[in-house]
Amino acid sequence: MKHFVGALYWMVCCTALLTTACNGYDNKKNNEQAVVLHRPPFAPLTDSLTRAKDDEAAGLYFRRGELLAHNNLHELAAEDYRHSWELHPDEATGFRYASTLSIIGQTDRAIQLLKACEQKFPDNPSFPSMLGDLYEQSGKMKEALDIYDGLLSKDTGNFEAWYEKGLLLEKNRDTARALLALSKAYGLQPVNTYGLELAHLFAENRNPAALSICDGILRKDSTHELLDPLFIKGIYYSNITQYKKAIVQFDSCISRDWKFTDAYLEKGIALFEQKQLDSAMSTFFMTIKVSNTYPDGYFWVGRCYEATGHKDQAILYYRQALALDRDFTEAADRIKKLQ
């Protein structure tokens, strides 16, 4: 019995010590935050808040929240936005509060807030759009898709909703519906961002429509600086095994930007597929020269060494690729195969 009482006493003491320690930590954190708010540039607003009435305080909290966010003090900013929202729940505050909750990783709270904002401000499309983004980030694809479908049921000309829906469907590998959604977005708003996303999806699916979209964008490129249309054309030609035409496009990318690592990589792969191993290896070495932390470059140098019978060198480069990317399973598999 004495042992039991002693153990119980020890548990109570430990609990008290832990509670005191936690409270001490929280108090220290609160004190540190209070010190920050009483320093420039926040001090004038903090002083004003001590004297402000509720209707004025909402605006002061919002202004201080904006200043805190600008200085990357997002947790403190979220608290100020919360106070402002509770005192005067308007659209600007709701949007900034939800954005900041998302930044600090409080996704569930942000989702609940955005649902409330949707109900309170049904004519503002910013809230469902952000809600769709958060659902997607949380892996809730069906919920995200429902958001975009809801927006489009109200306005079929909402090109942003068509675009976001297309990206979501593409991520879900629903290619046919993704192409339809992206085509609608590009038809409604023919900007390069939408066109290039659509062209890239066409290219990955060996659809020559990719070429006409890219050529149309290139015709409007008076500065001759765009890289993506040329690169996408190269991807299309590679996918249909017209490697010589692909290399022409990748060389065009490189001539515009000699540090375009992906262009070297895809050019090297096109050369590798044509069994031009020396040229392929020198091209892959350029990817490493341009970016020495690019795992794919090391991997493909390894492929060239393996193809020419130099197993030890191949393993060395596969290991380097794996060191840069621990999830590079193909490099790991090739090491096992060669050992």
Side-chain angles (χ1 to χ4, degrees):
M1 185 67 179
K2 288 181 180 179
H3 292 299
F4 174 76
V5 171
L8 183 60
Y9 175 76
W10 175 248
M11 289 172 63
V12 170
C13 289
C14 287
T15 302
L17 286 169
L18 286 170
T19 302
T20 302
C22 290
N23 289 340
Y25 174 79
D26 289 339
N27 289 336
K28 182 181 178 182
K29 185 177 179 181
N30 290 336
N31 289 337
E32 288 174 352
Q33 291 176 347
V35 169
V36 169
L37 296 177
H38 284 87
R39 288 177 179 168
F42 316 111
L45 289 168
T46 302
D47 291 340
S48 297
L49 276 164
T50 61
R51 301 184 298 271
K53 296 180 181 179
D54 285 354
D55 55 347
E56 183 186 4
L60 291 171
Y61 275 121
F62 183 83
R63 286 169 56 195
R64 194 174 70 176
E66 294 283 84
L67 195 56
L68 287 162
H70 182 72
N71 285 271
N72 293 319
L73 297 168
H74 297 293
E75 288 189 4
L76 287 173
E79 279 301 296
D80 274 4
Y81 291 136
R82 180 179 66 81
H83 287 304
S84 181
W85 172 257
E86 289 173 352
L87 291 168
H88 184 66
D90 61 14
E91 292 175 81
T93 306
F95 187 83
R96 295 294 290 155
Y97 184 21
S99 299
T100 306
L101 287 173
S102 175
I103 289 170
I104 63 177
Q106 296 191 21
T107 306
D108 290 341
R109 282 182 65 192
I111 287 173
Q112 292 306 313
L113 175 62
L114 288 168
K115 286 181 178 179
C117 289
E118 268 195 302
Q119 295 294 319
K120 194 172 185 62
F121 312 110
D123 295 328
N124 189 328
S126 299
F127 296 116
S129 293
M130 189 190 297
L131 186 57
D133 288 340
L134 289 182
Y135 276 139
E136 185 176 345
Q137 292 169 24
S138 304
K140 299 176 179 178
M141 298 302 183
K142 181 183 181 304
E143 289 86 345
L145 199 58
D146 287 343
I147 290 289
Y148 299 127
D149 284 340
L151 288 169
L152 291 168
S153 68
K154 295 177 183 178
D155 178 11
T156 56
N158 187 335
F159 51 85
E160 290 182 358
W162 280 116
Y163 179 66
E164 294 298 334
K165 179 179 178 179
L167 293 180
L168 185 62
L169 290 167
E170 185 179 353
K171 186 176 288 187
N172 282 350
R173 303 193 179 192
D174 189 342
T175 303
R177 292 174 66 202
L179 286 169
L180 177 62
L182 291 172
S183 296
K184 291 283 285 185
Y186 189 49
L188 290 165
Q189 188 76 3
V191 295
N192 288 354
T193 302
Y194 295 179
L196 292 170
E197 189 66 40
L198 177 61
H200 184 262
L201 191 54
F202 275 135
E204 291 293 352
N205 288 275
R206 301 179 179 86
N207 189 321
L211 299 179
S212 60
I213 294 172
C214 290
D215 286 338
I217 292 172
L218 287 168
R219 279 194 294 271
K220 294 183 287 185
D221 177 27
S222 59
T223 60
H224 304 290
E225 293 178 348
L226 289 178
L227 300 172
D228 289 340
L230 298 169
F231 185 74
I232 290 169
K233 289 178 70 174
I235 293 295
Y236 168 75
Y237 284 125
S238 284
N239 285 341
I240 62 171
T241 68
Q242 292 190 22
Y243 295 117
K244 291 182 179 179
K245 289 185 176 181
I247 289 169
V248 170
Q249 300 302 320
F250 297 134
D251 279 339
S252 296
C253 292
I254 293 165
S255 68
R256 292 188 178 191
D257 180 5
W258 73 273
K259 292 185 178 181
F260 193 177
T261 312
D262 287 342
Y264 287 112
L265 184 75
E266 294 297 336
K267 176 184 176 180
I269 293 171
L271 291 165
F272 184 89
E273 293 294 337
Q274 296 177 91
K275 311 299 182 186
Q276 299 178 32
L277 298 180
D278 289 340
S279 296
M281 182 175 287
S282 64
T283 305
F284 292 133
F285 270 121
M286 277 302 299
T287 68
I288 299 171
K289 180 179 179 181
V290 171
S291 175
N292 61 9
T293 58
Y294 190 58
D296 293 78
Y298 292 94
F299 173 80
W300 278 97
V301 170
R303 288 290 306 272
C304 289
Y305 274 126
E306 182 180 350
T308 54
H310 297 84
K311 293 184 178 180
D312 291 340
Q313 290 95 326
I315 290 172
L316 182 67
Y317 279 90
Y318 290 148
R319 283 178 176 163
Q320 185 61 44
L322 199 57
L324 291 167
D325 181 0
R326 293 180 181 178
D327 296 324
F328 207 142
T329 55
E330 192 173 353
D333 291 341
R334 289 196 167 272
I335 291 170
K336 289 178 182 178
K337 177 185 174 184
L338 294 176
Q339 286 180 330

